[in-house]
């Protein structure tokens, strides 16, 4: 089986627009968590990880003047621009390859639906936005921005494992011969529905979140987008594209334990990580670093800790959650954190677990040091969604 390689990556989040800014923030351990600025809501008491650009600023960067547009789509285009440029993919690429877009999101265009809901009832001036509401419309909007580049596009919506599952689906499309190249990842903006939903579950922290800390009290909601360009090694060679990493393994499992909570022993997480290792033909000891789902909620961090300790035993590699810097980018988190893992592999550093200070009972002690004790060769990236839809990716040098 020809290996799946990564030839491009792009990222937009609270800690930077593009990989260069993101890398600087990670190395300097600079968090992007701050008071709400762009979302118009009464709940300003919650710190969040917003992308530091308004919709109009993003449209200006992208050269977009037409309506309708949504924040989720705009962030996605910014991240995709960087990924496509690095991979050398354009509409005029010759010979023209078969390129698919697989994008993960849950809120889709809900930001504008919330904003214009009363307009829909009172007049017809905003009716164009009705069709931008659903997840698929977001993916189509991004695909249309690139003309005829994409021969197919599809959406994944599995809550916080959406982008990771988009990466998995893209790889499966390549392996089954249905596409040559896949642009995979996710985009998600913060909405009132989003914020209020997590608030109703009582899992938002009023302060800076602290994944795996004894005093953890919940997550900080974030937003962002990230996309990877993946293809076979033969395809990359044929196009003369530079390989920047490998997708060597992946796994998805569902513990079906609860609508929102993870099981006490982390069964779904354990099975997903185990499947990823098996596909990559690796042993637990081969993993140099784990980017944990690590939301900062009491339930997730304990459950994930149990799964990690079950899998790795006494040989637990450095583990950290980067959500203390980016916030929880929900449906985009799988690709945002996969790109962070890719940067760690390329530049040989450990993303630190921001905000941690006190060990939790029954949990792992995360890494707060950015200097690895051994070269990073294979890293694991975990993304766990509501309903127990758990996914794990393994990226390699």
């Amino acid at each position: 089986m020809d290996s799946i390689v990564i030839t491009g990556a792009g990222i937009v989040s609270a800690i930077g627009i593009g990989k260069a800014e993101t890398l600087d923030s990670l190395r300097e351990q600079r968090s992007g968590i701050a008071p709400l600025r762009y979302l118009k809501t009464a709940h300003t008491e919650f710190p969040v990880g917003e992308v530091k650009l308004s919709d109009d600023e993003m449209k200006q960067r992208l050269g977009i003047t037409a309506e309708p547009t949504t924040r989720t789509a705009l962030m996605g285009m910014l991240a995709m621009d960087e990924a496509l440029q690095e991979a050398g993919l354009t509409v005029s690429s010759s010979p023209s390859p078969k390129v698919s877009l697989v994008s993960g999101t849950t809120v889709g265009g809900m930001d504008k639906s919330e904003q214009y809901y009363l307009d829909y009832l009172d007049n017809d001036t905003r009716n164009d936005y009705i069709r931008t509401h659903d997840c698929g419309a977001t993916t189509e909007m991004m695909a249309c921005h690139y003309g005829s580049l994409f021969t197919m596009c599809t959406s994944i919506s599995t809550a916080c494992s959406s982008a990771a599952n988009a990466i998995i689906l893209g790889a499966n499309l390549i392996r089954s011969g249905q596409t040559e190249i896949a642009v995979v990842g996710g985009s998600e903006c913060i909405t009132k529905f989003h914020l209020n939903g997590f608030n109703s579950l009582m899992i938002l922290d009023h302060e800076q979140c602290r994944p795996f800390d004894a005093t953890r009290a919940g997550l900080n909601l974030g937003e962002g987008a990230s996309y990877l360009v993946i293809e076979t090694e033969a395809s990359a060679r044929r196009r003369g594209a530079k390989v920047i990493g490998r997708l060597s393994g992946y796994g998805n499992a569902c513990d079906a334990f609860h609508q929102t909570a993870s099981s006490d022993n982390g069964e779904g997480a354990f099975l997903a990580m185990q499947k990823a290792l098996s596909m990559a033909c690796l042993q637990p000891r081969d993993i140099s670093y784990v980017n944990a789902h690590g939301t900062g909620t009491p339930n997730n961090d304990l459950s994930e800790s149990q799964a990690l300790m079950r899998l790795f035993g006494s040989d637990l590699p450095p583990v950290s959650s980067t959500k203390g810097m980016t916030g929880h980018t929900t449906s985009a988190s799988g690709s945002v954190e996969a790109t962070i893992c890719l940067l760690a592999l390329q530049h040989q550093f450990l993303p630190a677990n921001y905000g941690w200070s006190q060990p939790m009972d029954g949990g792992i002690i995360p890494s707060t040091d950015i200097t690895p004790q051994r070269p990073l060769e294979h890293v694991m990236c975990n993304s766990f969604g509501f309903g127990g839809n758990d996914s794990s990716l393994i990226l390699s040098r």
Side-chain angles (χ1 to χ4, degrees):
M1 184 187 295
D2 201 356
S3 63
I4 302 291
V5 299
I6 303 163
T7 54
I11 186 170
V12 173
S13 77
I15 59 171
I17 310 301
K19 288 188 292 182
E21 286 184 16
T22 303
L23 179 61
D24 286 345
S25 294
L26 290 167
R27 283 174 156 169
E28 295 170 15
Q29 299 186 44
R30 188 169 61 237
S31 176
I33 305 300
L36 268 165
R37 178 180 174 186
Y38 297 104
L39 180 68
K40 306 306 178 188
T41 173
H43 286 293
T44 56
E45 70 271 25
F46 296 112
V48 295
E50 286 179 302
V51 169
K52 308 301 189 285
L53 290 172
S54 69
D55 289 10
D56 285 341
E57 288 169 328
M58 284 191 268
K59 285 168 68 176
Q60 189 173 10
R61 288 194 181 209
L62 291 161
I64 292 175
T65 55
E67 296 287 348
T69 56
T70 65
R71 190 168 177 84
T72 297
L74 291 169
M75 291 189 300
M77 291 174 208
L78 282 176
M80 211 177 298
D81 271 2
E82 185 179 30
L84 293 173
Q85 184 176 351
E86 184 172 33
L89 271 182
T90 64
V91 175
S92 59
S93 295
S94 183
S96 180
K98 195 174 183 181
V99 186
S100 297
L101 171 61
V102 187
S103 184
T105 188
T106 299
V107 305
M110 205 177 290
D111 61 317
K112 291 299 193 290
S113 300
E114 292 172 345
Q115 190 175 343
Y116 298 137
Y117 176 70
L118 293 178
D119 284 349
Y120 301 151
L121 299 178
D122 296 340
N123 60 69
D124 295 331
T125 61
R126 303 288 187 177
N127 284 4
D128 280 351
Y129 277 96
I130 292 173
R131 63 184 173 84
T132 69
H133 172 82
D134 65 85
C135 298
T138 297
T139 306
E140 290 177 10
M141 195 181 296
M142 290 188 289
C144 288
H145 181 67
Y146 297 99
S148 59
L149 175 63
F150 297 109
T151 54
M152 72 155 278
C153 66
T154 191
S155 304
I156 293 283
S157 188
T158 57
C160 301
S161 59
S162 297
N165 285 334
I167 294 170
I168 291 173
L169 177 55
N172 287 339
L173 287 172
I174 292 169
R175 288 198 157 123
S176 64
Q178 295 182 65
T179 193
E180 294 174 59
I181 301 170
V183 179
V184 292
S187 182
E188 191 100 296
C189 72
I190 300 176
T191 64
K192 288 190 284 188
F193 173 85
H194 219 170
L195 194 71
N196 294 341
F198 280 98
N199 188 30
S200 69
L201 292 172
M202 297 183 288
I203 54 173
L204 290 179
D205 199 330
H206 286 72
E207 300 174 7
Q208 167 76 51
C209 71
R210 303 165 298 286
F212 298 109
D213 192 89
T215 66
R216 69 196 186 283
L219 60 88
N220 297 146
L221 197 58
E223 64 178 3
S226 184
Y227 289 90
L228 305 174
V229 178
I230 60 173
E231 55 193 302
T232 62
E233 197 154 17
S235 170
R237 230 179 359 252
R238 189 165 56 247
R239 296 194 312 109
K242 181 183 177 182
V243 173
I244 60 173
R246 297 176 185 275
L247 177 62
S248 50
Y250 46 84
N252 171 265
C254 187
D255 60 16
F257 173 74
H258 186 268
Q259 286 183 327
T260 57
S262 301
S263 57
D264 293 341
N265 66 351
E267 182 69 10
F270 173 79
L271 291 173
M273 291 188 286
Q274 198 175 54
K275 287 181 179 182
L277 282 171
S278 177
M279 174 180 277
C281 298
L282 296 173
Q283 298 299 315
R285 63 178 176 273
D286 296 320
I287 300 299
S288 315
Y289 162 68
V290 178
N291 186 287
H293 188 56
T295 59
T297 62
N299 171 253
N300 175 90
D301 293 3
L302 184 58
S303 175
E304 188 170 8
S305 288
Q306 291 300 308
L308 287 164
M309 291 187 287
R310 284 175 65 190
L311 185 70
F312 291 100
S314 59
D315 293 323
L316 187 69
V319 178
S320 72
S321 167
T322 45
K323 289 182 173 68
M325 287 183 267
T326 63
H328 189 355
T329 57
T330 54
S331 291
S333 62
S335 55
V336 165
E337 289 156 23
T339 298
I340 287 172
C341 286
L342 189 60
L343 290 171
L345 284 167
Q346 290 176 308
H347 299 277
Q348 291 294 296
F349 74 99
L350 295 172
N353 198 104
Y354 189 89
W356 184 88
S357 63
Q358 300 179 48
M360 57 181 274
D361 291 337
I364 59 114
I365 295 178
S367 174
T368 56
D369 185 1
I370 68 166
T371 305
Q373 298 303 305
R374 60 171 172 147
L376 302 187
E377 295 291 340
H378 307 283
V379 301
M380 179 177 279
C381 184
N382 288 340
S383 296
F384 306 144
F386 282 165
N389 193 314
D390 300 335
S391 294
S392 186
L393 310 172
I394 295 177
L395 283 74
S396 304
R397 288 177 81 181

